[in-house]
Amino acid sequence: MNKPFLKWAGGKTKLCDKINTILPKGNRLVEPFIGSGAVFLNTEYKEYYLADTNSDLINTFNYVKNEGIEFINYVNDLFVPENNTKEKYLEFREVFNTTSDTRLKSALFIYLNRHCFNGLCRYNSKGKFNVPFGNYNKPYFPRTEMIFFFHKSKNATFVVSDFQNTLNSTINGDVVYCDPPYVPLSDTSNFTSYSSGGFGIKEQEKLVEISIKLKSNGIPVVISNHVTEWTMEHYKDGLITEFDVQRNISCKGNNRNKVKELLVLFS
């Protein structure tokens, strides 16, 4: 299994085999929620169109794609023992939040991802990255993973785009995989107040609506999500596959439980 070079909440590396059994064949894989790129890295399509609303993420992917080893070595210079302190981390985080140099910011994005608490990617209301220092003994530098990403990305296009624009740009021969923010597992009666990064019930409903439209146009769509009353009702026009996933259910990471997830194919 090919691992992404970024840590990522909800990453799909362990589920790629399962996702691959459901993804139809096609010329190009389109992902409106690229995240760490695990599905992209573990599929074999001729082309890829990969989008996300996080410009820091997409810029980083494009620097790895366009510069390869030169950029990888540039990032590697940040992974030295003297930079693995809380003081240095906070200094670099401030540079990341203030610089207009996108190359430096992309390198720092990888540094922050590997040095911050649990590899979280979180911004405050002003758009500033605010995850605290992770205090790891020796943060891993993902050289091997970055080199693989560089070679794989030759047939990929990375764009900053929301899911609606991305889905509406699909063409015949495309296959779509969506990994949106999940519907919460709590009582769906409270779902109207739910929102994760601006992705709430209206966005979930719109994703289903567009997926059904694409299905009617001959473009298959696969979506990952939790098994809930809401998803089972709204995904009923697709082919649903359920399975258990081991998941941390506390911030300390020592409380693990199985939750039910699904993959739905609209095709």
Side-chain angles (χ1 to χ4, degrees):
M1 194 63 64
N2 302 307
K3 294 183 178 180
F5 64 82
L6 294 172
K7 295 182 179 182
W8 209 256
K12 290 294 179 287
T13 303
K14 294 180 180 179
L15 297 180
C16 281
D17 286 343
K18 198 176 297 290
I19 293 169
N20 267 319
T21 63
I22 294 172
L23 278 174
K25 293 181 180 179
N27 294 324
R28 183 175 72 161
L29 181 67
V30 176
E31 291 194 59
F33 311 91
I34 177 63
S36 65
V39 173
F40 152 63
L41 293 170
N42 290 283
T43 50
E44 295 297 334
Y45 289 87
K46 292 179 182 177
E47 296 179 64
Y48 294 86
Y49 188 79
L50 309 168
D52 203 280
T53 56
N54 186 330
S55 60
D56 295 328
L57 176 68
I58 296 300
N59 286 340
T60 300
F61 285 164
N62 276 317
Y63 273 109
V64 176
K65 173 188 174 179
N66 295 327
E67 295 191 13
I69 299 300
E70 183 181 347
F71 181 72
I72 293 169
N73 289 336
Y74 175 58
V75 180
N76 192 21
D77 289 343
L78 296 172
F79 283 69
V80 292
E82 53 265 38
N83 288 343
N84 188 29
T85 66
K86 182 178 180 180
E87 293 73 24
K88 202 65 179 179
Y89 173 85
L90 293 176
E91 178 186 326
F92 280 151
R93 191 178 72 177
E94 179 62 20
V95 173
F96 175 85
N97 284 328
T98 55
T99 185
S100 58
D101 182 340
T102 56
R103 188 173 189 261
L104 172 60
K105 192 168 188 177
S106 295
L108 288 172
F109 187 74
I110 299 170
Y111 164 87
L112 292 172
N113 177 264
R114 287 286 170 174
H115 288 76
C116 75
F117 178 74
N118 277 356
L120 295 174
C121 184
R122 186 185 67 198
Y123 301 82
N124 64 21
S125 60
K126 295 180 180 179
K128 305 296 186 182
F129 188 90
N130 67 352
V131 183
F133 181 56
N135 198 27
Y136 301 111
N137 288 334
K138 188 179 180 182
Y140 173 69
F141 179 65
R143 174 178 290 275
T144 300
E145 292 81 357
M146 292 178 75
I147 291 172
F148 183 85
F149 189 100
F150 164 64
H151 290 296
K152 180 77 173 178
S153 65
K154 293 307 176 186
N155 297 323
T157 300
F158 300 99
V159 295
V160 180
S161 174
D162 67 31
F163 76 98
Q164 294 189 54
N165 288 331
T166 304
L167 292 173
N168 288 329
S169 69
T170 52
I171 57 176
N172 287 336
D174 285 348
V175 174
V176 179
Y177 172 69
C178 297
D179 184 24
Y182 278 15
V183 171
L185 288 168
S186 57
D187 190 346
T188 52
S189 64
N190 296 324
F191 188 34
T192 51
S193 63
Y194 160 72
S195 180
S196 176
F199 202 93
I201 185 169
K202 290 182 179 179
E203 288 75 21
Q204 297 281 1
E205 290 173 342
K206 192 67 179 178
L207 177 56
V208 175
E209 177 189 325
I210 298 176
S211 298
I212 292 173
K213 176 185 173 183
L214 292 181
K215 169 187 173 181
S216 68
N217 291 335
I219 298 173
V221 180
V222 174
I223 305 175
S224 290
N225 219 316
H226 283 139
V227 173
T228 68
E229 290 181 15
W230 191 94
T231 53
M232 296 303 285
E233 171 62 25
H234 286 76
Y235 293 170
K236 62 185 178 183
D237 291 333
L239 179 64
I240 297 174
T241 302
E242 297 183 36
F243 49 91
D244 291 327
V245 174
Q246 201 79 21
R247 182 78 57 75
N248 285 339
I249 58 173
S250 78
C251 61
K252 295 181 180 178
N254 58 1
N255 191 0
R256 297 180 66 83
N257 201 356
K258 285 186 177 181
V259 298
K260 279 197 171 294
E261 290 194 12
L262 62 77
L263 287 162
V264 58
L265 170 62
F266 291 100
S267 177

